Amino acid sequence: MERLRSSPLHANISTALDKHLESIHAVQARRKDEIVNASGRQRHGPPRCQDERVVLALAAALRALCLATRKVRTVLWCAFQMSLPK
């Protein structure tokens, strides 16, 4: 889009993309924690209190990813509209 406009896009666009990528990485990390916790539970018997914390952390990361996705979709739509010829 920057090539179409022949000028750089607003800084908020790259910031929103960076936050979206960070959110993706956070969800991936929380999901790995959940998998490790679930595999450890099968070996050691009854569920632990940490199971709830791991699931809640994953839910919070997914919520943050959802919000970041909405924002990045809006930002990319705006960038696309700005790059269209007049």
Side-chain angles (χ1 to χ4, degrees), residues 1-2 10 18 22 29-30 32-33 47 49 58 69 78 80:
M1 284 186 254
E2 289 176 337
H10 197 273
D18 289 340
E22 288 175 16
R30 298 296 82 76
K32 286 179 187 177
D33 292 344
C49 182
L58 177 61
T69 301
C78 291
F80 172 69

Side-chain angles (χ1 to χ4, degrees), residues 37-73:
N37 195 14
S39 66
R41 183 175 9 141
Q42 290 175 353
R43 289 187 224 138
H44 296 108
R48 301 179 197 153
C49 182
Q50 284 185 337
D51 292 345
E52 292 178 11
R53 288 187 214 139
V54 171
V55 172
L56 289 175
L58 177 61
L62 284 171
R63 183 174 189 275
L65 177 61
C66 180
L67 294 173
T69 301
R70 285 183 196 161
K71 185 170 184 173
V72 87
R73 285 176 57 195

